[in-house]
Amino acid sequence: FAPARLGPLHLRNRLIKCATFEGRTPDALVTEDLIEFHRETAAGGVAISTVAYCAVSPEGRTDRHQIYLRPEAAPGLTQLTAAIHGEGALAAAQIGHAGPVANSISNRAPALAASRIPAPMGMALCKSPDADDIAALRATFRRAARIAVDSGFDALEIHCGHNYLISSFLSPLLNRRHDGYGGSLVNRARLAREVLESVREEVGDGVAVWAKLNMYDGVGAIGAPRRPWHGFNVDEACQVAQLFETDGHLDAIEPTAGSSLLNPMYLFHGEAPRAAFADAFSGPMKWGLKVGGPFFLKRYQYHSGYLLPLARRLREAVDLPIIALGGITDRASMDEVLGEGFDFLAMGRALLREPDLPQRISADPTTQSQCIHCNLCMPTIYTRTECPIREEAAVR
């Protein structure tokens, strides 16, 4: 809870609200509801509140109700960052391209991926970008970063996880290309490195930039010999992080895990609310989740610091500051993680339940989070992200 420094930024403490899609932008523009969501979180004591998901282009959204960074969005974003700043916190924007996770039907545009793989949300095959498309993507990330910074954001998180577009290039399972962006790990990491370079060139050194980097897609056993059906793993993640560090464009890395395409629950240890997920959809998706839920929505036992075994590998591989996340919700786990050499701590679900949890832990180190890891918050992202348990408690 002491002040800290992240790149050029002076933070009031080491706690960051991680990017969790808010589901409060029905017209792809900032709403008062979204502003209040982040204002409340900022007032609760975090140092940075991260706005998600800010797509770099219309087809880069998971669906058409998400913000994409364009001039029309700037006035609302400026109000949003001002509200966060008004509570003494800093504002970060998670920017990225959903790639194969995008709903092409909703977006009315083809989804992109490293290769022509199925895009389940749009019930179609993805488009694989050629060299000209990739050059245009770099320019799109650059423009998006400029709009975000001009709208008052202090930091940018570049999404390289969960098998979104950049992550699909990193994955040997999803990337079957035979050009300079496929094959070897260096080639698969090329898009990520070019995007980070473009963003840093655009925003300069006055803004903090970090990457949300997958350590493990959740496909294949960790540490097992490589198989054709395995995704990105921690060994490759460490090598990519070293490439990022050598390039010198980042102020930190936020290690994450899981795949929105292949294994979404790996990031969200706890219950797997399959029925609630199915009820959030209609038509083929609803019935597909009812039938395939046990295979797609796996259950992983929750325990404190559940991503630490992977994150420790990354901590050993690079000297860059690391933002740790995954079950770090009380003073004991915070002390443990910082004591192991991690630099910052990110919180997500616990803040949905209790936005003021950081303040209360600071005042009383014995405070325990009320989040029960039921994951019922997850299906609400398709309407309005919230903790249903919190709402029920408020009614009672």
Side-chain angles (χ1 to χ4, degrees):
F1 291 98
R5 182 159 185 163
L6 173 53
L9 305 180
H10 295 276
L11 280 58
R12 62 185 178 187
N13 57 49
R14 295 180 182 272
L15 299 180
I16 297 172
K17 184 224 168 285
C18 65
T20 51
F21 178 55
E22 305 92 347
R24 297 165 190 242
T25 54
D27 298 316
L29 294 168
V30 172
T31 61
E32 288 298 325
D33 194 17
L34 181 67
I35 292 174
E36 177 56 23
F37 177 88
H38 282 280
R39 188 209 62 76
E40 184 180 37
T41 301
V46 295
I48 299 177
S49 191
T50 309
V51 179
Y53 169 73
C54 299
V56 298
S57 60
E59 84 285 350
R61 300 172 287 177
T62 59
D63 68 51
R64 69 177 182 276
H65 302 298
Q66 290 180 327
I67 294 172
Y68 65 98
L69 292 164
R70 63 204 192 280
E72 293 83 358
L77 292 169
T78 301
Q79 295 178 46
L80 174 57
T81 56
I84 294 171
H85 293 154
E87 298 294 346
L90 301 179
Q94 182 193 66
I95 69 173
H97 192 294
V101 182
N103 186 330
S104 58
I105 296 174
S106 177
N107 290 337
R108 302 180 180 92
L112 300 182
S115 303
R116 283 180 59 79
I117 61 173
M121 293 294 291
M123 302 295 177
L125 288 176
C126 293
K127 175 185 176 183
S128 178
D130 60 23
D132 290 340
D133 295 328
I134 290 174
L137 275 169
R138 291 185 63 181
T140 299
F141 269 90
R142 184 188 291 268
R143 287 194 299 270
R146 172 49 53 196
I147 290 171
V149 171
D150 288 349
S151 299
F153 284 99
D154 309 283
L156 302 175
E157 175 185 294
I158 312 304
H159 202 328
C160 304
H162 308 160
N163 288 161
Y164 280 40
L165 181 62
I166 293 175
S167 179
S168 79
F169 273 76
L170 290 171
S171 168
L173 176 62
L174 303 180
N175 184 343
R176 303 299 178 87
R177 300 174 72 98
H178 300 287
D179 61 2
Y181 291 90
S184 70
L185 180 59
V186 170
N187 283 1
R188 285 185 276 124
R190 182 178 171 187
L191 177 63
R193 298 171 73 186
E194 290 180 347
V195 165
L196 294 175
E197 179 183 41
S198 296
V199 168
R200 180 58 81 184
E201 286 177 350
E202 181 63 36
V203 303
D205 296 330
V207 176
V209 179
W210 69 80
K212 175 167 273 189
L213 177 66
N214 247 31
M215 299 177 291
Y216 172 54
D217 290 349
V219 182
I222 298 174
R226 167 71 66 197
R227 295 289 186 267
W229 59 87
H230 287 188
F232 195 61
N233 65 25
V234 67
D235 294 327
E236 292 189 326
C238 289
Q239 295 175 61
V240 169
Q242 289 169 342
L243 293 174
F244 288 173
E245 184 169 48
T246 299
D247 292 341
H249 304 310
L250 291 179
D251 296 299
I253 295 177
E254 182 176 336
T256 186
S259 164
S260 297
L261 286 179
L262 306 171
N263 192 356
M265 296 307 299
Y266 193 85
L267 174 60
F268 302 99
H269 281 40
E271 297 301 318
R274 295 161 186 156
F277 263 111
D279 289 341
F281 292 92
S282 60
M285 281 293 296
K286 181 184 185 75
W287 291 106
L289 284 169
K290 282 185 176 293
V291 174
F295 304 97
F296 180 61
L297 299 171
K298 302 175 183 178
R299 185 183 184 279
Y300 293 93
Q301 183 68 41
Y302 178 89
H303 59 86
S304 179
Y306 57 84
L307 289 184
L308 279 180
L310 292 170
R312 289 183 182 114
R313 295 279 305 278
L314 202 68
R315 174 68 292 165
E316 294 170 357
V318 296
D319 293 324
L320 275 169
I322 302 293
I323 304 168
L325 78 160
I328 305 169
T329 61
D330 61 15
R331 183 59 187 264
S333 60
M334 293 173 181
D335 288 344
E336 176 188 1
V337 172
L338 293 176
E340 290 191 23
F342 293 91
D343 304 273
F344 301 93
L345 311 171
M347 304 172 72
R349 290 171 292 177
L351 295 180
L352 285 178
R353 179 71 187 265
E354 303 169 277
D356 65 343
L357 183 60
Q359 275 189 346
R360 295 195 300 105
I361 293 175
S362 178
D364 178 4
T366 67
T367 298
Q368 298 295 308
S369 168
Q370 295 179 25
C371 178
I372 60 173
H373 328 297
C374 64
N375 285 325
L376 289 173
C377 55
M378 291 183 62
T380 70
I381 67 172
Y382 303 107
T383 51
R384 178 179 180 271
T385 306
E386 61 187 1
C387 171
I389 307 301
R390 180 189 179 194
E391 296 301 315
E392 290 172 6
V395 170
R396 289 196 298 268

